[in-house]
Amino acid sequence: MSLKQTPLYPMHVKYKGKLIDFGGWELPVQYEGMGIIKEHHMVREKAGLFDVSHMGEVMITGGKAEDFIQKLVTNDVKSITDNQVLYSPMCYPDGGVVDDLLVYRYNTHKYLLVVNAANTDKDFAWIQENLIDGVKAENLSPDYAQLALQGPKAQEILQKIVDVDLSTIKFFWFNPAVKVAGVVCIVSRTGYTGEDGFEIYTKPESAVKIGEEIMKAGGEDVSLIGLGARDSLRFEAKLPLYGQEIDKDISPLEAGLGFFVKLKTEDDFIGKAVLAEQKEKGVTRKLVELSMVGKGIPRAHYQVQKDGQEIGFVSTGMHSPTFAKPIALAIIKAEYTEPGTELDIIIRNKAVKAVVDKGIFYSKKTKAK
Amino acid sequence: MSEVKVAKGLLYTDDHEWVKVDGDKAYVGISDYAAHHLGDIVFVELPEVDSEVSLGDSIGVIESVKAVASVYSPISGTVVEANEELEASPEALNEDCYENWIAVITIGDSSELDKLMDDAAYEEFCANIEE
């Protein structure tokens, strides 16, 4: 079976992206002449342009749309208003995670859900399985291309080619009809890098035009960014990745996402009872930050041990480009999560010393101005 | 892959290591093809000095941001030196993979060198790799 290509594929070829199979999509891990570390620094210092068209989009409409979405997600859907965006986990009845997603509210009868590329079909099936009367769900993923422009210079660059004052779009808000290079798009101040920036949703046939206009408007201050830097950027900002920090066997409370699980509201949601119990009893395992003491790079799924006993696993780890050293996130038994606790990460069958730490990750630059 | 450099006068393995013979010793490193494919190299694990190795044994690990790759010994012999500079500056392998050798191994059986490619053969080998 051949790989799927996003509408921005011509740009990946033009800018010499190193194409790989990413969950069935042909996408670049990095670009020639750049590389993961250079691309990572570019986003932290200037701006980077990402093709995120592989993400899934599901439109929920109908008189009961708000109630339905509240049933699905752990965060408080009633806390947002028109043109606002909500981040939330979506859970199974046992508290495990189906996916994490963004909820864009147009009004109480119309919401756009943006989900992880790898989970689109699974999420849509889950949504359909749990559908209630008075609500329609449509998988509109093929109808959307998505670009993300992220970095301290993102606004300055994008402002040159849009017809609205971008400072009116605050963090986790969107404007459903912004002309970007003359094309009407959804523009939200959201992203997955820990930097200020925007996500732009448009028709597939306009994607390359908008991408090229952004490259032109940005000049030396913008670069195309591949999947490698996308992962290192979100990891440094402690943003979870489905399949690593969260999955069907990890609850959002275990993954340090308790802030997005609203247990005290009146409304029920799928998984609420189990999560409420978990909160009350205390989780048995928790996400922690790890610094390396010995030499080695911790990576996803490596085992974590204490005195020769398995106590958990690395969810994500790598050499951090910003901090120029290896760091990790791990989910380990709650009794070992005190900062300063020494433990071992098994790297190629050898125990390499690490320590539970705190505050070593990147301070996000995404607060509303 | 016109940008990938093949240094002249060296011998190569089909696993993208290079060998420079100096008397009874062999300097071993990784080729530009390997460094290019790994991307930004951030960690190098060196072999233990004085360890005995056979042809094909792992003599180190190179980690880039996204990948982990083993370095395999192109010959049998004893590791007499390991380039400790690479521990502090792994990125040196991206800067110049031919200047920055990884290990020096005594040549136990010089007939093993006959199995290696010369630079012209290696250049052709790289050109024929399916991308």
Side-chain angles (χ1 to χ4, degrees):
Chain A
M1 209 190 92
S2 67
L3 297 174
K4 292 179 279 197
Q5 292 170 353
T6 70
L8 285 157
Y9 181 80
M11 281 186 83
H12 303 317
V13 174
K14 175 180 168 185
Y15 289 88
K16 302 198 168 72
K18 188 167 152 186
L19 296 165
I20 60 159
D21 176 356
F22 186 71
W25 293 90
E26 195 171 358
L27 285 166
V29 66
Q30 61 182 46
Y31 292 84
E32 188 70 40
M34 286 291 286
I36 297 176
I37 294 183
K38 270 205 188 125
E39 290 169 29
H40 181 110
H41 290 319
M42 192 70 185
V43 175
R44 293 256 179 265
E45 291 161 20
K46 296 184 184 168
L49 180 63
F50 302 74
D51 174 9
V52 278
S53 302
H54 53 312
M55 298 294 132
E57 291 84 5
V58 178
M59 191 69 84
I60 307 289
T61 51
K64 294 273 181 200
E66 185 181 60
D67 287 344
F68 175 58
I69 297 189
Q70 187 57 81
K71 173 185 170 186
L72 291 177
V73 307
T74 65
N75 206 346
D76 183 3
V77 176
K78 294 184 176 147
S79 69
I80 57 168
T81 186
D82 296 358
N83 295 344
Q84 210 171 352
V85 187
L86 185 77
Y87 167 79
S88 184
M90 176 166 69
C91 287
Y92 291 107
D94 69 357
V97 180
V98 180
D99 203 357
D100 65 342
L101 52 109
L102 292 184
V103 177
Y104 285 67
R105 172 175 148 165
Y106 284 82
N107 53 62
T108 52
H109 295 190
K110 183 178 170 186
Y111 292 81
L112 182 67
L113 306 181
V114 182
V115 301
N116 282 299
N119 294 331
T120 304
D121 291 342
K122 177 189 76 173
D123 291 358
F124 187 60
W126 176 255
I127 287 167
Q128 287 180 305
E129 202 183 304
N130 288 283
L131 212 54
I132 61 176
D133 284 337
V135 177
K136 188 167 84 163
E138 296 168 276
N139 183 353
L140 299 179
S141 306
D143 301 343
Y144 286 94
Q146 189 189 354
L147 300 92
L149 182 62
Q150 304 276 305
K153 291 194 181 264
Q155 180 168 314
E156 177 191 317
I157 293 169
L158 191 59
Q159 188 62 69
K160 295 183 193 173
I161 60 170
V162 299
D163 67 341
V164 304
D165 175 1
L166 289 171
S167 64
T168 60
I169 305 177
K170 302 283 180 221
F171 185 55
F172 267 76
W173 288 77
F174 72 101
N175 183 326
V178 175
K179 276 207 186 127
V180 184
V183 181
V184 177
C185 302
I186 299 168
V187 174
S188 58
R189 192 184 292 264
T190 49
Y192 195 45
T193 60
E195 298 302 324
D196 186 32
F198 299 89
E199 293 184 304
I200 302 160
Y201 300 78
T202 188
K203 296 172 298 201
E205 53 268 32
S206 304
V208 172
K209 172 177 172 170
I210 289 171
E212 290 290 8
E213 288 290 331
I214 290 173
M215 295 300 284
K216 202 164 87 181
E220 301 255 297
D221 286 344
V222 74
S223 224
L224 274 174
I225 311 294
L227 293 163
R230 182 166 163 79
D231 192 31
S232 58
L233 287 159
R234 69 93 195 159
F235 166 62
E236 279 184 358
K238 275 179 89 165
L239 298 170
L241 173 63
Y242 190 84
Q244 293 185 199
E245 282 71 41
I246 44 175
D247 72 19
K248 66 171 177 53
D249 299 314
I250 304 174
S251 92
L253 298 179
E254 293 172 323
L257 300 174
F259 180 79
F260 307 102
V261 179
K262 303 298 188 201
L263 297 167
K264 297 205 179 111
T265 62
E266 299 251 302
D267 301 301
D268 194 15
F269 56 77
I270 300 172
K272 189 172 192 179
V274 170
L275 293 172
E277 195 186 328
Q278 243 182 40
K279 172 101 194 194
E280 208 201 325
K281 288 195 181 152
V283 285
T284 56
R285 54 180 190 167
K286 270 201 292 206
L287 186 85
V288 291
E289 302 177 13
L290 297 181
S291 283
M292 297 307 294
V293 176
K295 279 189 252 188
I297 299 182
R299 294 192 185 259
H301 313 305
Y302 284 9
Q303 201 181 101
V304 178
Q305 287 184 357
K306 177 75 179 168
D307 301 326
Q309 297 300 311
E310 181 177 355
I311 59 162
F313 57 93
V314 175
S315 57
T316 303
M318 65 180 78
H319 173 91
S320 149
T322 298
F323 301 111
K325 61 177 184 181
I327 52 177
L329 291 172
I331 295 183
I332 62 172
K333 289 188 178 166
E335 54 263 42
Y336 299 107
T337 56
E338 199 57 37
T341 306
E342 290 186 344
L343 25 83
D344 296 308
I345 300 176
I346 308 304
I347 303 177
R348 291 186 282 284
N349 297 320
K350 284 209 296 256
V352 182
K353 291 220 168 302
V355 67
V356 177
D357 214 329
K358 204 172 148 92
I360 63 171
F361 278 69
Y362 187 73
S363 298
K364 299 204 281 277
K365 306 286 177 279
T366 49
K367 261 299 118 197
K369 295 200 230 315
Chain B
M1 290 226 66
S2 53
E3 315 88 356
V4 169
K5 295 174 293 230
V6 176
K8 304 250 173 264
L10 302 178
L11 299 171
Y12 294 85
T13 70
D14 58 10
D15 205 49
H16 309 288
E17 288 96 6
W18 58 258
V19 177
K20 181 166 141 189
V21 178
D22 183 11
D24 65 344
K25 294 191 295 200
Y27 284 75
V28 180
I30 59 163
S31 73
D32 190 50
Y33 184 96
H36 192 92
H37 271 74
L38 280 165
D40 298 313
I41 292 167
V42 294
F43 183 74
V44 176
E45 198 180 282
L46 298 168
E48 254 184 64
V49 172
D50 294 332
S51 58
E52 303 273 328
V53 295
S54 303
L55 195 165
D57 281 355
S58 170
I59 51 165
V61 176
I62 297 175
E63 295 199 47
S64 67
V65 181
K66 273 282 149 200
V68 179
S70 287
V71 182
Y72 297 105
S73 185
I75 57 166
S76 308
T78 309
V79 177
V80 291
E81 266 185 272
N83 190 349
E84 291 181 1
E85 272 174 38
L86 294 176
E87 287 182 337
S89 306
E91 66 280 1
L93 287 175
N94 292 113
E95 286 158 16
D96 193 333
C97 58
Y98 296 111
E99 269 301 304
N100 293 291
W101 52 271
I102 292 169
V104 183
I105 305 173
T106 57
I107 300 169
D109 173 3
S110 54
S111 71
E112 286 178 337
L113 297 172
D114 300 335
K115 298 187 183 140
L116 303 172
M117 291 178 260
D118 65 16
D119 53 70
Y122 177 65
E123 196 155 359
E124 197 177 323
F125 171 75
C126 288
N128 290 332
I129 296 173
E130 292 253 310
E131 287 290 335

